[in-house]
Each structure stands twice: as structure tokens, then as C-alpha cells.
């Protein structure tokens, strides 16, 4: 398998300044390459490709030895590949009829990652004989101390240097990471994602769910709403370009990054509990982007320029709660952990999972009387709607597993 390992860096003050200069130079290279592509097409209708721009790197480095010339050549190639991927995604969206989203120039603060190749521009564990610390060597910067809180598995292929606020991280992408299968439990579960509860499991799991099979929704963003609102008001009162504005923006970023770390930590712990408890985990195939779209406006036919109520305020609150739950982060982490542990994750169609009676199979919107209540209008079966949804998801997952085996 291929896995990434993320560690906190401990650069000195001088090294932090040099890392910032490296990001700025890579950002300048990215923007210059984007400008070249734009101008070539606007003036001559000529498409500039990655190979054309990579061939110019030697001349660029010779012309600016104190700037571009001091960084890794292969790292600069990775930056050009990053731009090339942005254009490939742009053309794919054009062909698919989606909103194209032409690649943008990166301003200061919008380019926070540099990708380097292990052994050429960066070297992991660059001081292996050091008794108490791990170091990574970055060309042009030197040996950076790493807060390595866990061992690395596999073979390091790429090294990313990333800035998050005032912190620096190193991300090692490793090949040939061995799987560590867990012993079989003989248990299969279905998981229904929600807002009232973060998740509902088809059967309770000790140490993870309550007696009803529910995993509590921590609502990390909601807990800091007042603090975040105060920080945003303070930001709005500042003058553009002022020092106070920078401090206020930094405060807002700190709050959001803390929430993101809490959300990721909760997702890791929940996914680990599921992987340890069950051999097969069935989950919904959620289209989160579609679920969090704003409702379309409804023009008022009797009033020019007017609009009818469309429930946008209530939908905005629901969208906020869905995004705060972090379903996408959780499902990605669950898939990765299951692969490493030798477990099966099966994705099923979520349609009608909470409207289908698990006893008689009757499907009707009238079965779900309230958000949490399920009463079958045919056989009278009553249960928690989320538990019903999780049970139906488990059943669909088992059917898909058997069909694949056949």
C-alpha cells in the first residue's frame, strides 16, 4: 500500500525564514508558468505543456542563482506538475459540462506546500546516528528537526514541506507499506451517517456507541461559534493592510485549524473503533457536495424582481451541520484504516434506507414519522429511524458482498 505520515517540524528561526523564502520562490515559479500559458494562448492560440516549461528550468536557475537556483530542481518540476494537474482538471470539467474553474494565480498565503523527491532535494532521517532526534534534510534549508511521534513504514518516495499557520509539517509519502491484518471478529455492521448523531451503527459497539448504537456528534464548530464570531467582527473593524488586520486574520485561522484537528481526531478514533470491531463495514455512498448545495431561487410571478420563500435559511443551517460533522473526512479515514487492517468497506446506495421496513420490506416516506421515529404503515414495526437505516445499509452491504463473491 501507499501511505503518508505527517510529522511536526521544529525549525529554528533562521530555518523558518528560509522555508518561507522557498515557498515564495516556488509560488513565483507557479505564477510565472501560469502567466506563460495564459499569454501563449491569448496571443497565439498555442498550448504550453509541462514538458515545454520543464525544459526552461535550467535557464531560469542559471539566470537567478540566489533565488530559483538554490532550490531543488526536481522540487521545481513537481511545482510545474502541480500546475499541469490544475489545467488537466480544468479541461476535464470543461468536457464534462461542469463549472470550469480556470487555474488562478497564487497569492501570499495561498501556496503552502512544496513537494520534494526523496534522495534528490530532500532526505529523510538525514542524521541517522543522532541519539535523540530525527532530521530531514531539505536542499537550500539544511537539516530540520522532526517531532517523530510514530515510526515510518515502507519506503519513503516523496517528502512534502507544508505550512499551516505558524506551524511547519513534513509529510512522507511511502510505498510498499505492509498491511497489518487484525484478527477476524465474525461481525458485520452498517453505518448510517447523520447530524443529530454523528453515526448510528446497526448494533452497539462497546466503547464506541451508546446502548442504541449511536456515536455522539461533537459539533466542534458550534462550540466555538461565539469565539469565531467575535474574531470575525474584530477582523471586520480593521483596515486593509494593517498589522491589526493580520493579527485578526491569524486568530480566525487558529480557530479553524483547531476545529479541523479536533474533527480529524474524532474521525480517526471512530474509524478505529469500527475497524477493530467488525470484519465488514457497510456505509452510504454520500454525495456531500450535492447534499450541501443551496436551494434554487424561486422568482415571484406576481412581482417583478421578487422571489418566493425557498427555505434557504433552514437549508443553510443543515448544510453547516453536515459540513461540521465532517462525513467526507471520516469516510476517507475509515477506508484507509480498513484497507490496512484487512477489513472490507462496502459502499451502498443510500436511497430509501431509512424508509424501508426491515421486517416486511415496505418502502414509503410515511414510514418515517419524525426525524428519529420509524413506524411501518403496513406491519406496524417501530424503531429508531437511524437504527433502521443502519440495518438496511448492513443488509444491502451483505447482498453486494455475496454478489461479488458469486
Amino acid at each position: 500500500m501507499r501511505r503518508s505520515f505527517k510529522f511536526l517540524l521544529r525549525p529554528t528561526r533562521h530555518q523558518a525564514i528560509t522555508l518561507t523564502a522557498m515557498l515564495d520562490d516556488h509560488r513565483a515559479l507557479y505564477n510565472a508558468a501560469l502567466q506563460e500559458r495564459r499569454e501563449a494562448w491569448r496571443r497565439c492560440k498555442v498550448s504550453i505543456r509541462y514538458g515545454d516549461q520543464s525544459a526552461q528550468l535550467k535557464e531560469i536557475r542559471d539566470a537567478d542563482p540566489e533565488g530559483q537556483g538554490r532550490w531543488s530542481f526536481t522540487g521545481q518540476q513537481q511545482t510545474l506538475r502541480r500546475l499541469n494537474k490544475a489545467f488537466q482538471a480544468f479541461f476535464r470539467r470543461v468536457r464534462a459540462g461542469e463549472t470550469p474553474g480556470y487555474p488562478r494565480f497564487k497569492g501570499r498565503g495561498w501556496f503552502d506546500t512544496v513537494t520534494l523527491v526523496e534522495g534528490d532535494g530532500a532526505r529523510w532521517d538525514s542524521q541517522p546516528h543522532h541519539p535523540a532526534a530525527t532530521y530531514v534534510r531539505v536542499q537550500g534549508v539544511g537539516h530540520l528537526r522532526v517531532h517523530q511521534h510514530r515510526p515510518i513504514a515502507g519506503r519513503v518516495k516523496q517528502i512534502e514541506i507544508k505550512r499551516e499557520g505558524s506551524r511547519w509539517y513534513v509529510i512522507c509519502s511511502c510505498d510498499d507499506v505492509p498491511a497489518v491484518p487484525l484478527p477476524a471478529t465474525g461481525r458485520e455492521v452498517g453505518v448510517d451517517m447523520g447530524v443529530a448523531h454523528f453515526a448510528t451503527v446497526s448494533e452497539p459497539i462497546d466503547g464506541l456507541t451508546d446502548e442504541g448504537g449511536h456515536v455522539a456528534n461533537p459539533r466542534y464548530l458550534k462550540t466555538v461559534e461565539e469565539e469565531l464570531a467575535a474574531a470575525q467582527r474584530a477582523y471586520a473593524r480593521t483596515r486593509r493592510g494593517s498589522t491589526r488586520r493580520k493579527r485578526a486574520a491569524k486568530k480566525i485561522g487558529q480557530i479553524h485549524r483547531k476545529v479541523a484537528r479536533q474533527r480529524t481526531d474524532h474521525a480517526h478514533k471512530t474509524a478505529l473503533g469500527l475497524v477493530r470491531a467488525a470484519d465488514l463495514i457497510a456505509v452510504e455512498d454520500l454525495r456531500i457536495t450535492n447534499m450541501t448545495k443551496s436551494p434554487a431561487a424561486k422568482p415571484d410571478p406576481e412581482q417583478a424582481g421578487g422571489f418566493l420563500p425557498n427555505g434557504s435559511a433552514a437549508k443553510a443551517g443543515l448544510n453547516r451541520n453536515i459540513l461540521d460533522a465532517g462525513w467526507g473526512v471520516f469516510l476517507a479515514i475509515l477506508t484507509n484504516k480498513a484497507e490496512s487492517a484487512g477489513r472490507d468497506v462496502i459502499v451502498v446506495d443510500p436511497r430509501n434506507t431509512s424508509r424501508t421496513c426491515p421486517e416486511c420490506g415496505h418502502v414509503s416516506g410515511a414510514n418515517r414519522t419524525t426525524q428519529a421515529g420509524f413506524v411501518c404503515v403496513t406491519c406496524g414495526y417501530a424503531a429508531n429511524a437511524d437504527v433502521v437505516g443502519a440495518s438496511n445499509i448492513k443488509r444491502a452491504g451483505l447482498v453486494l458482498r455475496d454478489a461479488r463473491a458469486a
Side-chain angles (χ1 to χ4, degrees):
M1 298 179 298
R2 183 154 190 159
R3 287 289 180 265
S4 294
F5 300 85
K6 184 176 180 180
F7 304 105
L8 181 67
L9 283 176
R10 303 286 192 186
T12 64
R13 182 175 178 275
H14 176 72
Q15 287 175 334
I17 293 172
T18 309
L19 287 172
T20 302
M22 181 178 70
L23 284 180
D24 288 340
D25 285 339
H26 276 265
R27 179 174 62 88
L29 177 65
Y30 182 97
N31 288 340
L34 174 56
Q35 179 67 18
E36 182 185 27
R37 291 193 180 215
R38 285 169 54 111
E39 290 299 314
W41 181 257
R42 186 176 68 87
R43 294 176 182 273
C44 309
K45 296 296 184 288
V46 174
S47 295
I48 303 293
R49 304 186 183 277
Y50 162 75
D52 304 322
Q53 295 186 317
S54 179
Q56 303 174 40
L57 273 177
K58 188 175 184 301
E59 297 179 7
I60 294 172
R61 292 166 60 86
D62 291 341
D64 186 16
E66 298 299 322
Q68 298 291 343
R70 57 178 172 161
W71 312 121
S72 166
F73 183 89
T74 54
Q76 291 169 329
Q77 287 181 318
Q78 295 297 323
T79 297
L80 295 179
R81 285 193 177 99
R82 175 176 170 179
L83 175 64
N84 195 57
K85 288 181 181 179
F87 272 97
Q88 289 175 348
F90 164 73
F91 290 123
R92 174 184 55 78
R93 291 190 293 268
V94 170
R95 289 191 296 269
E98 303 173 3
T99 303
Y102 191 82
R104 298 182 180 183
F105 292 103
K106 301 293 184 180
R108 189 181 298 273
W110 289 92
F111 192 98
D112 293 323
T113 305
V114 170
T115 303
L116 305 166
V117 178
E118 162 67 17
D120 187 358
R123 190 169 76 252
W124 176 254
D125 199 10
S126 58
Q127 295 186 4
H129 302 297
H130 197 286
T134 302
Y135 288 84
V136 58
R137 184 186 180 278
V138 176
Q139 180 177 330
V141 181
H143 298 274
L144 296 161
R145 185 174 179 179
V146 181
H147 182 76
Q148 187 179 1
H149 61 277
R150 59 171 175 160
I152 276 186
R155 181 165 49 94
V156 179
K157 294 289 290 181
Q158 282 187 344
I159 292 177
E160 290 186 358
I161 305 298
K162 184 175 184 180
R163 177 179 61 190
E164 293 184 7
S166 59
R167 297 184 180 184
W168 293 89
Y169 293 89
V170 59
I171 304 172
C172 298
S173 181
C174 301
D175 271 347
D176 305 326
V177 178
V180 185
L182 294 177
T185 63
R187 195 177 193 182
E188 298 95 9
V189 298
V191 180
D192 178 75
M193 306 305 299
V195 172
H197 302 100
F198 175 75
T200 301
V201 187
S202 55
E203 54 188 83
I205 297 176
D206 292 339
L208 179 64
T209 69
D210 59 17
E211 295 180 355
H214 303 299
V215 179
N217 187 358
R219 301 179 185 271
Y220 292 116
L221 184 61
K222 190 174 183 61
T223 60
V224 298
E225 273 185 347
E226 294 183 3
E227 182 184 4
L228 181 60
Q232 290 172 333
R233 287 194 297 268
Y235 177 82
R237 291 194 296 267
T238 59
R239 189 175 64 253
R240 185 185 296 272
S242 65
T243 303
R244 288 183 61 238
R245 191 178 186 88
K246 294 178 182 178
R247 284 201 300 265
K250 182 179 179 181
K251 177 64 175 177
I252 295 173
Q254 288 173 342
I255 296 172
H256 280 295
R257 282 188 291 272
K258 180 180 178 180
V259 169
R261 290 194 297 269
Q262 291 175 322
R263 192 179 290 133
T264 303
D265 180 70
H266 179 260
H268 273 286
K269 291 176 179 177
T270 305
L272 184 60
L274 288 170
V275 167
R276 286 175 173 172
D279 297 334
L280 180 142
I281 306 166
V283 297
E284 301 168 282
D285 185 12
L286 298 175
R287 297 290 188 266
I288 300 173
T289 302
N290 295 339
M291 294 172 66
T292 54
K293 282 184 177 179
S294 300
K298 297 180 179 180
D300 188 348
E302 299 180 359
Q303 181 181 2
F307 294 90
L308 297 173
N310 63 349
S312 59
K315 187 63 169 64
L318 176 61
N319 293 348
R320 191 183 309 111
N321 289 330
I322 291 174
L323 296 174
D324 186 20
W327 295 346
V329 173
F330 166 73
L331 293 175
I333 291 174
L334 176 64
T335 302
N336 291 334
K337 287 187 181 297
E339 183 184 11
S340 298
R343 306 301 202 201
D344 289 332
V345 173
I346 296 182
V347 180
V348 305
D349 189 344
R351 287 178 294 183
N352 294 323
T353 52
S354 61
R355 299 178 179 180
T356 304
C357 178
E359 290 292 323
C360 66
H362 178 67
V363 181
S364 173
N367 287 345
R368 189 163 185 174
T369 56
T370 62
Q371 191 278 330
F374 181 94
V375 179
C376 180
V377 296
T378 300
C379 68
Y381 174 81
N384 181 275
D386 294 333
V387 174
V388 169
S391 300
N392 288 327
I393 291 168
K394 173 185 174 181
R395 182 180 295 106
L398 293 175
V399 171
L400 286 175
R401 182 194 64 180
D402 295 341
R404 292 173 185 174

